[in-house]
Amino acid sequence: PKIFLEGAYQNGNMTTSLNNSGKLPAYQPYFSTPWSYNGNESVTSIPPSVVDWILIELRTDTSSNFTVAKRAAFINSNGIIVDIDGSNPVSFTNLSNRDYYLVIHHRNHLSIMSSSKIFLSEFATIYDFTQSPSKAYGSDLADLGGGIFGMFSGDGDSNGIVNILDYQSVGNNLFHVGYKWGDLDLNGIVNILDYRKTNQNILKITRVP
């Protein structure tokens, strides 16, 4: 899959500030709620082009009750989501060749899902969300300019809606350095600039059922 994170997006690519400063964790961060993912994806070193961890979900129907697989992976600065080696496509095992809905989660951006099912098999498939809002379920993606689209930033508490409560994720960690949910622009420090990400997307909600 290909998608851009609005918070890290600059001039056609995403910044790798978290990675460059050594703040990305070596272990997948989606073990807590609302994801409660118990995967053991981890690395000894993080490839230099990685922006952050992403959680991928496959569904046979739109509801979360039809989730058949999950994997944590990396998103590179060019928007391509790759396996934890930093280059290969993300792979799933013990699944049939068939149509799936593709769901993408990020810890402080609104989740997205493919607008329709995608046929997946042993051959790599590229699904480019960045081309048009119509690529996402509900046709709701952030306009990044120049005909490029991405995931809405600003959901600092990861509850699926950008609202005034997300200001707390910034305010409670103001001037803290590290891997923080309130670091909405993914530069490794929580500061007043992160408030702008919530401001610009206030009352946006995820369209993923």
Side-chain angles (χ1 to χ4, degrees), residues 88-99:
N88 283 321
V90 181
S91 61
F92 294 85
T93 58
N94 301 317
L95 291 178
S96 302
N97 292 359
R98 60 168 295 172
D99 295 326

Side-chain angles (χ1 to χ4, degrees), residues 10 31 127-128 134 147:
Q10 292 181 8
F31 47 84
Y127 189 85
D128 191 350
S134 66

Side-chain angles (χ1 to χ4, degrees), residues 172-188:
N172 292 344
N173 294 286
L174 205 57
F175 304 122
H176 288 195
V177 174
Y179 193 68
K180 305 295 184 181
W181 263 230
D183 177 22
L184 302 177
D185 57 10
L186 308 184
N187 69 350

